[in-house]
Amino acid sequence: QVHVVESGGGSVQAGGSLRVSCTALALPACAHRMSWYRQAPGKEREFVSEINSDGRPRYADSVKGRFTISQGSAKNTVALVLSSLKPEDTAMYYCVTNGAFCGSDWFHLGYWGQGTQVTVSS
């Protein structure tokens, strides 16, 4: 069963921009805490960005100043704008919903999407 769906991504030349989006299908009316990770071929999956519990964005040092995360008006969506892309940003980008607040109740989820490919050519 699919709980998280990513969209966007694609191929771009170095210096270009892309936008990837994520929608949580589980508990769609609730406010989700969602994060982005990426995995390049032959490498481990690494953290990219999230909006923390204070509502502030957090970024990996490797993408700080280049990527921007935002939550949609629908609290089960999140987007990531990737700017000033480098070939080393090439990876499969994954979204995870860590959990959701439905009112004051927290539901731990831990659902991952299938990923969306971002390829940056030099």
Side-chain angles (χ1 to χ4, degrees), residues 10-80:
S11 298
V12 67
Q13 289 190 329
S17 298
L18 287 171
R19 183 176 187 271
V20 292
S21 301
C22 177
T23 299
L25 303 180
L27 302 177
C30 300
H32 287 252
R33 292 285 181 262
M34 304 170 83
S35 307
W36 286 98
Y37 286 74
R38 67 185 181 186
Q39 187 168 19
K43 295 188 177 181
E44 293 187 353
R45 190 170 297 188
E46 63 176 3
F47 169 79
V48 176
S49 181
E50 69 178 5
I51 297 175
N52 66 19
S53 57
D54 294 332
R56 298 178 183 178
R58 188 169 73 92
Y59 301 97
D61 288 342
S62 58
V63 307
K64 200 172 294 182
R66 301 188 298 119
F67 291 10
T68 304
I69 190 171
S70 61
Q71 189 161 34
S73 56
K75 298 303 182 183
N76 65 326
T77 62
V78 67
L80 185 69

